[in-house]
Amino acid sequence: MSAWRSWSRRCLPTSDPLAAFRLDGRTALITGPVRGIGLAIAHLFAGAGARLVLADIDVAACDALAEELGGISIPTDVGDAAAIARLAEQAETQAGGVDILVCNAGIAGQASPLHTMDEAERERLYAINLLHPLRLTGHIAPAMAARGRGSIVLLSSIAGLRGNAMLGHYGMTKAALAQLARNLAVEWGPSGVRANAIAPGLIETDWAGAILSSPERAARRLGMTPLRRAGSPDEVAATALYLASDAGGFTTGQTIVVDGGTLISDGS
Ligand SMILES: NC(=O)c1ccc[n+]([C@@H]2O[C@H](COP(=O)([O-])OP(=O)(O)OC[C@H]3O[C@@H](n4cnc5c(N)ncnc54)[C@H](O)[C@@H]3O)[C@@H](O)[C@H]2O)c1
């Protein structure tokens, strides 16, 4: 057997193929973990063996989830720069550093054409959806690089991959996250840090409730999706686990679309 072949076999142990998805001994910091997609990621990562650091604006729910899953709760408003700096510092001191960072917290903001959105609301949307991942990765990526490994996962959206008349600012923040993943991947890849984004389509969370609770809107929206259903938070979490773990060890700078085929369909 050639040297190349023996090396590649060591990377993918066929005796235990799922071992590459385990997160034992790793610390994962997740923002927005108390509901929806973040909650599914927290449960899946805990099940895969990760130690969790949970950062949500809902203090009571964040504390309760940390108690339930055995992690550390650092309640944080991710729209606040000082709070982000505190979160990064406490994650370092209380958890001994972060191996996996999932920037999941996000808001849709008020639905409106670009030019009519209230300015204060627009600032808040950009602070939570875009500046939070930018600031948090700015603190965490250098520490990951110093340790020689790390994986960053950003929650983008298919709203950042096509135009939208009513959620334009939301889409711009999500498009920027796909670029942030590429930039981080190039900047920190030589130090062993990977960065990727996930672009979900319609996922069954409170977020999607307004669409799914109206039969007409649900039929119209799901008619654009080849699988004819919304996704589950668990299906997004599974992609996050792939990206966070060694299974995704050679994947970096990518935006993985998890949308039941919505984006590749012409709707017919
Ligand atoms: N659900 C979907 O259909 C969908 C589709 C595409 C992208 N996404 C993205 O996935 C991510 C999660 O979406 P979701 O549907 O699970 O949302 P959700 O509203 O169900 O949950 C959001 C979580 O973030 C927390 N949060 C909100 N503002 C915060 C703040 N300022 N500081 C800290 N925590 C805060 C909430 O408390 C909650 O735990 C978001 O970034 C969203 O843009 C969702």
Side-chain angles (χ1 to χ4, degrees):
M1 186 184 297
S2 72
W4 173 83
R5 187 126 181 88
S6 77
W7 178 84
S8 70
R9 284 176 71 87
R10 274 205 312 279
C11 280
L12 296 170
T14 49
S15 56
D16 185 5
L18 295 183
F21 288 89
R22 295 287 311 173
L23 301 177
D24 304 288
R26 308 212 185 151
T27 298
L29 167 53
I30 304 168
T31 66
V34 311
R35 282 203 312 265
I37 292 169
L39 183 61
I41 293 173
H43 276 277
L44 192 62
F45 281 20
R51 181 172 190 222
L52 301 182
V53 178
L54 304 173
D56 203 284
I57 196 167
D58 184 335
V59 179
C62 195
D63 289 349
L65 186 64
E67 179 84 28
E68 180 191 342
L69 298 179
I72 297 171
S73 170
I74 307 178
T76 305
D77 174 359
V78 299
D80 176 349
I84 287 276
R86 260 194 317 276
L87 169 62
E89 196 251 312
Q90 288 178 14
E92 193 68 39
T93 53
Q94 292 182 30
V98 173
D99 303 297
I100 297 157
L101 170 62
V102 183
C103 292
N104 163 76
I107 59 170
Q110 143 209 342
S112 69
L114 282 172
H115 69 289
T116 60
M117 191 177 201
D118 174 77
E119 191 153 338
E121 170 122 8
R122 192 181 68 204
E123 298 289 306
R124 178 87 178 138
L125 177 74
Y126 279 85
I128 293 173
N129 287 12
L130 178 55
L131 295 180
H132 129 239
L134 187 59
R135 289 171 172 147
L136 197 50
T137 56
H139 290 290
I140 302 280
M144 287 175 164
R147 282 189 282 274
R149 76 166 190 195
S151 175
I152 295 166
V153 180
L154 311 175
L155 265 293
S156 178
S157 167
I158 61 168
L161 295 170
R162 55 185 190 178
N164 188 311
M166 297 303 281
L167 289 174
H169 287 291
Y170 172 76
M172 285 166 68
T173 65
K174 294 301 182 179
L177 293 188
Q179 183 61 25
L180 178 60
R182 287 187 284 270
N183 292 343
L184 290 169
V186 171
E187 196 171 336
W188 296 106
S191 303
V193 178
R194 296 182 295 110
N196 293 283
I198 302 174
L202 187 65
I203 305 298
E204 277 172 350
T205 65
D206 294 353
W207 187 292
I211 294 174
L212 295 174
S213 60
S214 151
E216 300 81 45
R217 286 187 74 190
R220 196 173 67 81
R221 177 61 183 76
L222 298 181
M224 301 173 190
T225 301
L227 291 182
R228 297 288 187 266
R229 64 175 177 85
S232 79
D234 285 349
E235 288 169 319
V236 180
T239 305
L241 178 60
Y242 162 74
L243 293 173
S245 67
D246 291 347
F250 203 49
T251 304
T252 197
Q254 303 305 306
T255 294
I256 299 189
V257 175
V258 182
D259 72 344
T262 308
L263 217 59
I264 54 82
S265 169
D266 66 359
S268 61

